[in-house]
Amino acid sequence: MVARQLAGRGIRDPRVLAAMRWAPREWFLPPHLAGDAYNDGPLPIGSGQTISQPYVVALMTERLEPKRTDRILEIGTGSGYQTAILAYLSSSGRVFTVERLPDLLVEAEERFRRLGLSNIETRLGDGAAGWPEAAPFDRVIVAAAAPRIPEQLTAELAPGGRLVIPVGDLSSQELVILERPASGARLVQHQAGGVRFVPLISRFAFTEEA
Ligand code: SAH
């Protein structure tokens, strides 16, 4: 699949396409779904969650514009598929990923070990509360939808930093990109199209399983 299909849908960044080609998506799925790994759709990964559609992972990654040395904060590890792509792209940096469901995190950690990705740090908890001890971050990516951008995440964004998050309610969401100019001046926000994500469950977002 991937690279050709993704290029056909408008993903242009050669680094993103290379990362998508590299990641063995079947490793991030329950074994009985491995045969569907290279179809461009979301799939269930247990605990009521889904692994994102490859196109959406590629789109989020392209909009994030990660550099090789970046420190990246990711909220919503899920299967760890997006995390692995980010770790590949920021090979001289570090990815800090937060997941609230322990079963998913344990499985994802096992996959990172298997792939030999040593530049990932994981944490169990509410990612909307940020990761103050590791801040600031050059990039912040949120893989679950929030009614608004959690303040703590904006606060942990370094000058020259960029945050990508789906914002909206459960039926209608927009991918929002927030940039903090290197000068430290006011944040710049723009929208990058409609998306559909599971809710960010947090005291700073949606408070209970919807
Ligand atoms: N990109 C992932 C999919 C993530 S689905 C992949 O490709 O596999 C979104 C994930 O966010 C789910 O695993 C969900 O449990 C997690 N999540 C939801 N709210 C969260 C929160 N407040 N903090 C951390 N993780 C959260």
Side-chain angles (χ1 to χ4, degrees):
M1 135 189 110
V2 251
R4 205 176 320 134
Q5 222 171 301
L6 295 173
R9 290 196 63 180
I11 303 296
R12 295 272 175 269
D13 185 337
R15 294 184 68 229
V16 173
L17 292 171
M20 297 296 295
R21 234 180 269 120
W22 161 80
R25 191 167 183 252
E26 67 278 12
W27 288 17
F28 294 86
L29 293 169
H32 69 282
L33 292 175
D36 295 327
Y38 295 97
N39 298 332
D40 192 15
L43 289 166
I45 52 170
S47 306
Q49 304 302 319
T50 53
I51 181 172
S52 308
Q53 176 189 356
Y55 170 69
V56 171
V57 171
L59 178 71
M60 298 271 283
T61 309
E62 193 173 65
R63 294 292 185 272
L64 192 68
E65 297 179 12
K67 296 188 305 301
R68 206 165 51 81
T69 54
D70 277 347
R71 289 167 71 83
I72 303 179
L73 174 65
E74 180 193 42
I75 315 302
T77 316
S79 68
Y81 178 58
Q82 170 89 70
T83 322
I85 303 261
L86 296 172
Y88 178 89
L89 288 170
S90 62
S91 52
S92 305
R94 216 157 186 77
V95 181
F96 299 82
T97 187
V98 189
E99 171 58 53
R100 63 181 282 272
L101 298 175
D103 294 358
L104 292 183
L105 193 60
V106 166
E107 285 180 346
E109 286 167 341
E110 179 55 36
R111 293 170 181 133
F112 303 150
R113 268 193 293 277
R114 212 176 141 197
L115 284 165
L117 295 169
S118 53
N119 58 333
I120 298 175
E121 293 192 29
T122 60
R123 173 178 273 191
L124 184 67
D126 181 357
W131 193 322
E133 308 89 313
F137 300 99
D138 305 298
R139 299 292 184 262
V140 177
I141 180 168
V142 184
R148 70 197 79 79
I149 304 176
E151 227 170 82
Q152 187 59 26
L153 300 185
T154 315
E156 293 183 7
L157 197 58
R162 185 176 255 263
L163 180 154
V164 176
I165 180 172
V167 175
D169 56 30
L170 299 188
S171 58
S172 158
Q173 304 158 10
E174 276 278 334
L175 199 58
V176 170
I177 295 154
L178 195 70
E179 287 175 272
R180 184 186 296 287
S183 61
R186 281 183 46 173
L187 295 162
V188 180
Q189 183 172 323
H190 53 272
Q191 303 199 329
V195 284
R196 187 153 193 160
F197 279 83
V198 298
L200 187 74
I201 308 289
S202 164
R203 66 199 152 98
F204 305 105
F206 297 104
T207 45
E208 254 319 304
E209 308 278 2

